[in-house]
Amino acid sequence: MEEEVEKAVFAYLRKKGFRLTEIALQEEQSRLSSDASSLSRSESDAAKYYDGYGKLRSWAYNSLDSYRHELLRVLYPVFIHCFMDLVAQGHMQEARTFFQTFREDHEMMHLRDLQKLEGILSPSHLEEMELARLWRQNKVKIRLCQYSYELLVQYLHKTQSLAMLGVINEHINFEVYPGQPASISDDSEAVSLIGTSQDLAREINQKELHWGLLEDSVEERMEKALSESDKTEVDGNKEADTEDNKVKKADGNKHSTAVNSKKKKDKVVGATGKTMRSESSMVSVPPRVKSELTLPQFPPEVEQSILEDLRNRVQLSSLALPSVSFYTFLNTHNGLNCSTISHDGSLVAGGFSDSSVKIWDMAKIGQPGRASNPQGENGSMQGMHSLASDEAKRPYSLLQGHSGPVYSVSFSPFADFLLSSSSDNTIRLWSTRLNANLVSYKGHNFPVWDAQFSPMGHYFATASHDRTARLWSVERIQPLRVMAGHLSDVDCVQWHPNCNYIVTGSSDKTVRLWDVQTGNCARLFIGHRSMVLSLAISPDGRFMASGDEDGTIMLWDLSTGRSVSPIIGHSSCVWTLAFSCEGTLLASGSADCMVKLWDITSSMKALKTDDSKSGPASRLRLLKALPTKSTPVNTLRFSRRNLLFAAGALSTGS
């Protein structure tokens, strides 16, 4: 019928002499026919992605048990690139259908990434979103055993799925190894992005790094003084022993000499604690470096306090585990966002969702309350007396000033000051003696997730949702340095013991080490599969531990930028990490309500024995797991005497 109508129309136009109209109508008909053909072909191309991925998925899930977990590694990158290809080609409806149909397979491992990619609504978003751009510009490296790889190749050639072949050839590199398939939990880099990010990491990690400790530090001076004192005392004991031996020889009493000598030796050991250190902990003597920042001097009384702590430090090892003091926050109703503990455990602070900061003095808990005014003034009015009475009833000091939830708190080295950061984009400095706010620092444009004092005080570092970390001085209201380079939120920050570097962990699954003098990235660590939530650096400054949202803990060698010992440490987020004072033990705290102690000595020994190895073959050895029953652990800290402090909020309903 349509053809007859068209013929009649063209005949009429020719009869009337409308030649140009006839030509125009023919061109329009041809164009419509071409568009229909193109649309049909386009719909067919979109269907190829859906059908091709669906068949690949079914084949992988129905593979032999021994090889299934390896073949399943291929699905996630193929899923992502199929979705992005559909978006790039303008098939938005087909892309949404594809994404929603198969996303459930990957939610357990990649929920955060899927939530971000779900926001892609047009081809231009592929260029604007950092995560999408990272996927498009880099290839994925997947480790497969020889037989798994051959199974995959045979399947692709047999099915002739051109769409899947194109995605895999363009976006995936396979690292094929001989032998039996390894478990995915035994290899932290079984699936990882490579390409420009790996090239960048390789280039950055070749830079020179001064990872040693500060020269002429308080601890170094005191250890030298102790060593000289020990030497003098030992020499004196030798002389005394010589005289005693002469006398005892004459008397023929050798047994008494041995007993006296042993007592004197024990006295020397007890005075210094140096000889109690195990040989395994002394893997290498860290070099001494100069400070790039102008650091404050400790007052004499503070140095004396450090000396006292050094004299009474307990030496820890795999055979001598630390005592643990756990502080539990009760009735917080999920309002506690963060906590911190002073170096000696005398003060505990918490940051809450109602914008408040609270500080508990352990020495005053259980004692009759005293009236106190947080502003340091004595009111004479009845209302002021009422306020003082309310303050007296509180077991804590209440600090108010933020206008949003508080996400981090950090004590200065001697707990005279407290830092807090909030979703109101500010960082506040509080005096713990006056219980008053001193300064409000403004510089970040979005919520500040973390703020940490330097080991020497005076300086602090912050991490924010604006994808930057910043270096501050307490005496300036503007930041001294801005560290930019992460592709997503900077979630946590930590100082190197020599104060020349800070380390940041991010939602982009990387960790970066920054030079505080230049603000440049000095190391880039790639290996985590989820956002990095916690960091710790060993006391000698050589090793760094990082924990992520999936419960994985990774140990890194800062000098080379290589992973030493990746482990699946917990079943949930690793919120906090802490090294013992000698660096022989690592403590980890998690949302799974566990504190775990790990042996670092074995990794250090393996690294010293063969520096050419990358290290993943060596594993951190679990020494002890300490369950808290129902309290997620969000803070760990070793005191200078090696007592382990921990804190967390009791789960609701427990």
Side-chain angles (χ1 to χ4, degrees), residues 231-247:
K231 185 177 180 181
T232 303
E233 189 171 351
V234 170
D235 290 342
N237 289 335
K238 285 182 179 178
E239 293 178 3
D241 288 345
T242 302
E243 294 298 323
D244 287 346
N245 285 338
K246 290 180 181 179
V247 174

Side-chain angles (χ1 to χ4, degrees), residues 204 220 274 518 636:
I204 291 176
E220 183 189 22
K274 303 282 285 181
T518 64
L636 289 172

Side-chain angles (χ1 to χ4, degrees), residues 28-183:
E28 180 66 16
Q29 187 181 26
S30 176
R31 186 184 66 80
L32 290 174
S33 177
S34 176
D35 288 347
S37 175
S38 176
L39 180 61
S40 176
R41 187 167 57 254
S42 176
E43 291 176 350
S44 175
D45 290 342
K48 287 179 182 178
Y49 285 97
Y50 191 97
D51 295 339
Y53 180 80
K55 291 177 180 178
L56 176 64
R57 174 182 177 273
S58 298
W59 172 78
Y61 274 103
N62 291 318
S63 299
L64 294 173
D65 292 345
S66 303
Y67 305 98
R68 182 187 302 138
H69 68 277
E70 283 203 333
L71 295 171
L72 289 177
R73 294 173 184 170
V74 180
L75 293 183
Y76 181 61
V78 171
F79 166 77
I80 293 296
H81 284 293
C82 284
F83 168 68
M84 290 185 177
D85 283 353
L86 287 170
V87 172
Q89 295 169 16
H91 307 306
M92 293 310 305
Q93 185 58 46
E94 291 82 355
R96 306 311 305 167
T97 302
F98 177 86
F99 190 86
Q100 296 301 331
T101 301
F102 299 112
R103 68 170 292 170
E104 188 176 350
D105 294 344
H106 313 290
E107 285 183 343
M108 181 174 293
M109 289 292 292
H110 307 284
L111 178 60
R112 182 173 290 269
D113 285 353
L114 293 175
Q115 290 171 341
K116 293 179 181 179
L117 295 172
E118 195 173 20
I120 297 176
L121 302 175
S122 69
S124 62
H125 290 173
L126 295 176
E127 295 298 325
E128 296 170 0
M129 183 182 292
E130 292 87 357
L131 179 61
R133 197 164 60 245
L134 188 67
W135 274 97
R136 300 295 278 181
Q137 295 175 355
N138 294 272
K139 284 196 171 186
V140 178
K141 181 186 75 175
I142 299 181
R143 297 187 78 245
L144 297 177
C145 73
Q146 183 69 39
Y147 190 69
S148 295
Y149 178 72
E150 291 174 356
L151 286 175
L152 178 62
V153 171
Q154 290 173 8
Y155 166 80
L156 293 173
H157 283 292
K158 181 179 178 181
T159 58
Q160 288 294 307
S161 178
L162 299 181
M164 297 302 100
L165 273 170
V167 168
I168 290 174
N169 286 334
E170 185 176 355
H171 300 291
I172 298 178
N173 278 351
F174 291 102
E175 181 183 327
V176 182
Y177 62 91
Q180 294 298 311
S183 170

Side-chain angles (χ1 to χ4, degrees), residues 235-409:
D235 290 342
N237 289 335
K238 285 182 179 178
E239 293 178 3
D241 288 345
T242 302
E243 294 298 323
D244 287 346
N245 285 338
K246 290 180 181 179
V247 174
K248 299 303 179 181
K249 220 171 192 183
D251 296 342
N253 190 351
K254 296 181 181 179
H255 176 71
S256 177
T257 302
V259 171
N260 289 339
S261 177
K262 184 177 184 303
K263 286 181 179 178
K264 291 172 184 174
K265 183 179 180 182
D266 290 343
K267 183 179 179 182
V268 175
V269 172
T272 65
K274 303 282 285 181
T275 56
M276 294 174 65
R277 189 171 299 175
S278 63
E279 294 181 3
S280 60
S281 68
M282 302 178 67
V283 174
S284 61
V285 178
R288 298 289 169 171
V289 299
K290 293 182 179 180
S291 172
E292 295 180 1
L293 296 174
T294 303
L295 298 176
Q297 293 291 327
F298 288 140
E301 62 272 16
V302 171
E303 292 192 2
Q304 188 61 36
S305 173
I306 296 176
L307 173 61
E308 188 66 22
D309 288 336
L310 289 176
R311 287 184 177 276
N312 291 280
R313 176 178 292 173
V314 176
Q315 302 301 319
L316 302 178
S317 68
S318 58
L319 301 177
L321 300 181
S323 299
V324 183
S325 178
F326 197 96
Y327 300 115
T328 303
F329 293 82
L330 302 176
N331 303 319
T332 57
H333 306 293
N334 291 329
L336 180 73
N337 294 328
C338 56
S339 62
T340 188
I341 305 170
S342 63
H343 71 97
D344 58 357
S346 61
L347 296 178
V348 179
F352 293 82
S353 294
D354 63 1
S355 309
S356 67
V357 176
K358 299 175 184 177
I359 302 177
W360 285 262
D361 187 340
M362 295 297 103
K364 295 180 181 179
I365 287 184
Q367 294 184 1
R370 300 176 183 176
S372 63
N373 191 308
Q375 302 303 322
E377 297 177 351
N378 294 320
S380 57
M381 299 172 61
Q382 185 175 0
M384 294 299 290
H385 284 299
S386 175
L387 176 63
S389 176
D390 291 340
E391 288 285 333
K393 295 177 183 178
R394 293 179 184 149
Y396 54 81
S397 298
L398 178 63
L399 308 178
Q400 293 179 311
H402 284 294
S403 59
V406 179
Y407 290 119
S408 78
V409 283

Side-chain angles (χ1 to χ4, degrees), residues 329-334 629-632 649-654:
F329 293 82
L330 302 176
N331 303 319
T332 57
H333 306 293
N334 291 329
K629 189 177 180 180
S630 57
T631 304
L650 189 67
S651 298
T652 304
S654 301

